[in-house]
Amino acid sequence: MKNVIALILVSFLAVNSYAQQEEVEMKTVKESTEDDGPKGGFKKDHLFIGGGIQFSFSNYDFVIGGSPVIGYSINKWVDIGIGLNVTYISEKEVQYDAYGDLRATGNKIHQTDIAPIAFARFYPLKFLFIQAQGEQNFISQKYISGYGQPALKANYDATSLLLGVGYASGREGVGNFFYYVSLSVDVLKNRYSPYVQQALNGSVNMLPILRAGIQVPLFQGKRNR
């Protein structure tokens, strides 16, 4: 009987000790989880700012501009953001000659474009991204005659959708500083887009748009990378 009582007492003490140990371990895990911050929802350390410059030219066109942006990294594969693009374009008016070749008419077009933008970048590889960027361009244009006639001014807007690919240096995932270069074209080919070349016969040719910029993470603090 004494042996049974002793066995019960030892078992009780063992179970009690095990329960206390489990409680301590669960508390430690909980505290560790809380220290790591929220696991879902909005994370401010996924925010980033950045911006870039763009440059494009051909025999008849010159384009230069800049675009500050703010964005959010959904995960290590996807970034989204919004911004403002400001572009200046100098373009020579062209037409096709009898042989089907483009020729300058002597007239010029100067224009300034201010456009709110929204973009998404997809990273199938950490150094390679595919980008889609929508823009609503508000354009102020001056048409300069090469034959001494008064210049004509006009204001209008055009929607653009830029699709392209790019290279990112130093992006390992969420929360990295890196620079990038990209090449894209405006697939909508709106004749008033700042990213196309238009001829007098109404044809519209897409221009390659080369952009370079940086991405700077925000609110990193004690973030574990």
Side-chain angles (χ1 to χ4, degrees):
M1 186 66 179
K2 291 181 179 181
N3 291 337
V4 173
I5 293 174
L7 181 59
I8 293 174
L9 182 60
V10 170
S11 299
F12 174 79
L13 292 174
V15 170
N16 185 60
S17 176
Y18 178 78
Q20 291 179 349
Q21 181 179 356
E22 284 290 299
E23 183 179 357
V24 171
E25 290 178 354
M26 290 178 65
K27 184 177 180 181
T28 301
V29 170
K30 182 179 180 181
E31 291 175 349
S32 176
T33 302
E34 291 175 348
D35 289 341
D36 288 341
K39 294 301 181 182
F42 177 80
K43 304 179 181 67
K44 68 178 184 179
D45 58 0
H46 283 219
L47 287 168
F48 62 83
I49 58 172
I53 58 173
Q54 66 184 57
F55 180 71
S56 176
F57 69 94
S58 70
N59 290 336
Y60 306 104
D61 302 89
F62 174 78
V63 180
I64 190 168
S67 53
V69 302
I70 182 169
Y72 185 81
S73 296
I74 297 176
N75 51 44
K76 66 179 181 180
W77 296 287
V78 182
D79 290 344
I80 58 174
I82 58 175
L84 185 69
N85 190 40
V86 180
T87 310
Y88 172 76
I89 302 102
S90 177
E91 177 182 356
K92 296 179 181 179
E93 186 182 64
V94 295
Q95 64 181 357
Y96 286 96
D97 62 18
Y99 301 98
D101 297 323
L102 280 177
R103 301 292 182 186
T105 66
N107 303 323
K108 296 180 180 180
I109 299 172
H110 293 170
Q111 70 181 46
T112 301
D113 171 30
I114 299 177
I117 65 176
F119 66 88
R121 297 189 190 120
F122 306 91
Y123 296 82
L125 300 172
K126 64 182 181 180
F127 60 86
L128 175 70
F129 64 85
I130 302 169
Q131 177 169 298
Q133 178 166 303
E135 301 187 6
Q136 186 61 40
N137 302 281
F138 297 96
I139 299 167
S140 176
Q141 186 182 88
K142 179 185 289 188
Y143 183 86
I144 304 171
S145 172
Y147 307 100
Q149 298 176 352
L152 301 176
K153 297 182 179 180
N155 296 291
Y156 50 89
D157 60 89
T159 302
S160 296
L161 177 60
L162 305 182
L163 299 181
V165 297
Y167 168 79
S169 175
R171 188 184 193 277
E172 299 295 333
V174 175
N176 297 122
F177 170 88
F178 62 91
Y179 70 85
Y180 63 86
V181 293
S182 67
L183 183 64
S184 59
V185 293
D186 184 358
V187 296
L188 296 185
K189 297 176 66 174
N190 186 309
R191 67 179 292 102
Y192 297 115
S193 166
Y195 309 114
V196 301
Q197 179 187 73
Q198 53 181 306
L200 285 179
N201 67 354
S203 65
V204 177
N205 302 314
M206 293 184 295
L207 296 174
I209 307 300
L210 181 64
R211 285 178 166 160
I214 59 173
Q215 186 161 305
V216 183
L218 296 177
F219 305 111
Q220 294 303 292
K222 297 180 180 180
R223 171 186 171 89
N224 294 323
R225 301 186 184 181

